[in-house]
Amino acid sequence: MREVDVIGVRVEMPSNNPIVLLREVSGDRYLPIWIGAVEATAIAFAQQGVVPPRPLTHDLLKDVLEATGNPLAEVRITDMSDGVFYATLVLGSGVEVSARPSDSIALALRTGARIVCDEGVLDDAGLAVPAEQEDEVERFREFLDHVTPEDFESGSGES
């Protein structure tokens, strides 16, 4: 397992589908995962520090885990099959729960839990970005600084 950071979410053109982009902490690979519009908004909210007046689904799950004394310890992106990614939530008690990566990432951002990815998934679906292409990544980060959750309201679908 390799630790990854969440770079952010954006809408891929021309399909108009949102993706979340992860980056290997100790390496040069990036992992794009196509996600749903609702999950893209949840991830963007968490990254921007938006606190809704009432808990949204991921906020509620975080609160339930904390209230029961079984917080999220780690998110694992475990597999990819036919373009569909799979994840596991690892709770403080050691219990593991199967989940979609997008929901897992949204929850990890709210709890501060570490996100790791299976080496095989990074080998199969990761994209190495050479140093000369880092300016493209920097433009993506700049885009993320200006994107709003509302930008994801009309997308659909998730892997």
Side-chain angles (χ1 to χ4, degrees):
M1 291 285 187
R2 305 285 298 212
E3 187 169 2
V4 294
D5 285 333
V6 180
I7 299 299
V9 292
R10 76 172 187 90
V11 175
E12 185 211 29
M13 298 310 246
S15 69
N16 206 32
N17 287 326
I19 65 166
V20 61
L21 185 63
L22 306 176
R23 180 185 62 201
E24 186 178 23
V25 169
S26 300
D28 64 351
R29 292 179 289 185
Y30 289 78
L31 182 66
I33 301 176
W34 279 258
I35 61 175
V38 172
E39 294 78 13
T41 300
I43 291 168
F45 272 4
Q47 286 196 301
Q48 295 173 3
V50 174
V51 179
R54 300 287 298 143
L56 299 176
T57 304
H58 300 99
D59 303 303
L60 176 63
L61 183 53
K62 172 188 151 274
D63 293 346
V64 168
L65 291 172
E66 289 174 357
T68 60
N70 201 13
L72 181 64
E74 183 176 78
V75 164
R76 296 178 184 158
I77 299 172
T78 57
D79 196 13
M80 183 192 73
S81 177
D82 296 324
V84 177
F85 291 86
Y86 298 85
T88 300
L89 302 174
V90 181
L91 305 183
S93 65
V95 169
E96 296 184 6
V97 179
S98 178
R100 297 184 305 178
S102 57
D103 289 325
S104 302
I105 292 165
L107 187 58
L109 289 173
R110 285 165 172 73
T111 64
R114 184 171 93 123
I115 303 171
V116 296
C117 185
D118 181 85
E119 185 78 32
V121 172
L122 284 168
D123 288 344
D124 292 343
L127 307 170
V129 177
E132 64 270 9
Q133 291 182 2
E134 279 297 319
D135 59 335
E136 179 69 25
V137 174
E138 191 54 42
R139 285 196 297 276
F140 181 62
R141 285 186 186 132
E142 185 176 316
F143 165 81
L144 294 174
D145 290 339
H146 298 96
V147 72
T148 64
E150 291 76 26
D151 293 333
F152 301 105
E153 288 180 353
S154 65
S156 65
E158 175 178 345
S159 290

